[in-house]
Every structure is written in structure tokens, then in C-alpha cells.
Amino acid sequence: MEQLRESVAAGSACDVCGRLPHPHRFRLSLAKLAAVLPVELALHALVLALHPPYLLAVALLAISTTVLVVWVVEPSAMRLLRGWLHGPAYRMRRAARETIEKAPSLWRIRVTLDDETGQLERLTGRLAELDVNILGLTVHPLADGVRDELVVSTPAELSADELLDAIAAAGGRDAHLWPTTALALVDGQTEALNLAARVVADPAELPHAVSELLGARLVTDRLAVSNGRLPTDGSVLKIPSPWNGLIVFTRSGEGFTPAESARAHRLAQIAELSRGEVSCCR
């Protein structure tokens, strides 16, 4: 945090490279002194050796020093000493990059398991062998087993294929995984309550609330809905609309569980009740 504070306080971008923060004032002063002093000494020695008239000497020193220092020497020295000038910034960037590279990855996993004793234990054991930390777990009952949704933290070097192989070796089937963020760690009950509150406050938020709750996409093509041109693999969910007809959602490659369908229908009921109360108040 202290490094971040120093980086922010460093000011605007460097005039030379335009990307790194402006170098520290002390380092910048030393670099300018190192660039200007040799030029000043050389010019003074040359003028003293030639013995020109006083006014001419002053004019020559002022003009030549200004031109050489401002336009030639100082910019060249700044570029030459850029590595030293921006040393702290380079180190901060390198440390930040190494921290990011070593940071664990977050994944959201959905996998179907047999509803048998020890099945989940076998899966967690396999994941533990890969140094995978389970941060969240939600269980969705199915007719032929359970659909588990896990949020896990994995070592940065662990690939998605290695993770899927471990899940398959533990008896998991139809596994899908997606990179996720810390927002996925909000428990499902809290998220559902927050979305229900949004729907109560504004029933028109129902489609967006269901999409967010289930990670689904709202189908806006009414012709596809009316003509039945939608997938039949369980990846389509229809809920009653408080306004007209049905609201349809789809989730590519991942079917909706009965629990998810029940949650969506419950949100639709809340929206309908809230809409009725708003109409009565008017």
C-alpha cells in the first residue's frame, strides 16, 4: 500500500518517456547537474582561452549554454540516465508484476456428481492434491445426482485442463469452469435477497435480476421464442412475465437446475406482487 501511495504521489508522467511517473526530485537534480556541469566548464574554458571582449564573452556563454543544455545535452542525458532516474518506479512495477503473476487464480466450477456418500470428499481430495482451495460451495439437487457449484482458488501455474482432468478423475461429469472474481464469493442467499430487494423497488428490474442471479442471457428475439427455435437441451428457462407472456433466458452449454428455476420463478412472483401494490397505490 505504501508503494502504491508513493506511485500515486509521484505526479504526472515523465517528460522524457511519457509513461513512468515523474522521477524523484533529488535524482532529477543530480542528473541535470551531471549533464550541465561538464558543458558549462568546457564553454567557460573555451571562452577564457580565446579572450574575447567582455560583452561578447557573456553573450556567447549565455546563448551557447542555453542552446546546448536545453535542446541537446539535458534531453540526451535524461534518456541516457532513464534507467537510474526511474529506478524506484521500475522496481515497483517489477514487484507488482511478480505479485500479479504469483497471485492465485479464481475459478467457478459447475460439475455433476453422483449422490453417493464420499463422492464430494473424493473431489475435494483430488483438488487438495493440486493445492486448490475451495472458497465456496453450492449444491443443486438433480434427478440423477447433484450439480455442485464451487468457487476455488488455484495456483497461478495450474491450467484449466489440469483442473478439469482432476475433476474427471474424481468421478465428476459434465464439468464446466470459468475464470471469476472475488464477487463470486458473495453467498447465494445474500445475492438472492439483494436482487429480490431490487425487484421489489422496481419490478421492471426482473429480467436483469434473473440474468444476474443465474448468469444467463435474456432472449430478446420474440420470433425465435414464438416459433420454438430455441435449444431443447435444458439451457433455456422460461418464467411468467408480470406484463405479457413469458420471459426467456438461455445459458450456453449449461442447463438450469430445478433450484435455479424455482429461484427465478419466485423472483417473478415478487415482481408481480410488487407491480400490483404499485398499481393499487396509484
Side-chain angles (χ1 to χ4, degrees):
M1 183 61 69
E2 185 62 29
Q3 287 183 339
L4 177 61
R5 194 176 295 117
E6 291 176 0
S7 178
V8 173
S12 58
C14 172
D15 297 331
V16 177
C17 66
R19 291 175 297 186
L20 291 172
H22 201 277
H24 193 276
R25 185 176 300 174
F26 177 71
R27 289 186 174 230
L28 186 60
S29 299
L30 287 180
K32 288 184 176 181
L33 181 61
V36 172
L37 187 59
V39 177
E40 292 278 2
L41 291 175
L43 288 175
H44 278 77
L46 180 62
V47 169
L48 290 176
L50 296 177
H51 297 291
Y54 177 75
L55 292 178
L56 181 59
V58 172
L60 286 174
L61 285 174
I63 295 173
S64 59
T65 302
T66 302
V67 171
L68 287 175
V69 170
V70 175
W71 291 347
V72 180
V73 177
E74 186 174 324
S76 300
M78 295 302 103
R79 286 191 291 269
L80 182 64
L81 299 174
R82 182 173 57 181
W84 178 77
L85 281 171
H86 296 296
Y90 278 128
R91 287 194 293 273
M92 289 171 59
R93 278 194 170 188
R94 191 182 305 113
R97 189 182 301 111
E98 291 175 355
T99 301
I100 292 173
E101 291 175 351
K102 295 177 181 178
S105 302
L106 291 179
W107 297 88
R108 183 167 65 92
I109 302 171
R110 290 175 70 95
V111 57
T112 300
L113 299 174
D114 294 330
D115 193 8
E116 300 175 354
T117 303
Q119 184 66 51
L120 181 59
E121 184 179 356
R122 283 194 292 272
L123 175 61
T124 57
R126 284 282 185 174
L127 295 179
E129 292 175 2
L130 298 177
D131 199 22
V132 174
N133 185 22
I134 298 176
L135 305 176
L137 172 63
T138 305
V139 179
H140 302 272
L142 299 175
D144 59 345
V146 290
R147 188 70 171 166
D148 286 354
E149 181 172 337
L150 304 92
V151 178
V152 301
S153 171
T154 68
E157 64 273 10
L158 186 67
S159 67
D161 290 337
E162 291 175 307
L163 196 54
L164 288 172
D165 289 343
I167 294 171
R173 60 183 188 273
D174 193 22
H176 298 274
L177 60 87
W178 306 264
T180 189
T181 66
L183 294 176
L185 298 177
V186 178
D187 63 276
Q189 293 85 348
T190 301
E191 183 181 10
L193 288 172
N194 290 336
L195 293 174
R198 276 174 54 186
V199 171
V200 169
D202 183 5
E205 283 288 306
L206 174 63
H208 309 293
V210 174
S211 295
E212 187 174 334
L213 177 65
L214 305 182
R217 181 178 63 85
L218 175 65
V219 177
T220 56
D221 187 352
R222 307 308 302 177
L223 288 177
V225 175
S226 59
N227 295 335
R229 298 199 312 266
L230 294 173
T232 57
D233 57 357
S235 61
V236 174
L237 175 66
K238 301 177 181 179
I239 63 173
S241 166
W243 303 276
N244 54 350
L246 296 172
I247 304 177
V248 182
F249 301 89
T250 182
R251 190 167 60 190
S252 178
E254 180 64 31
F256 296 96
T257 65
E260 290 176 320
S261 177
R263 294 170 188 170
H265 279 79
R266 186 55 180 160
L267 279 179
Q269 293 174 358
I270 292 173
E272 187 171 1
L273 291 173
S274 300
R275 184 169 179 266
E277 290 181 3
V278 171
S279 300
C280 292
C281 292
R282 289 177 180 174

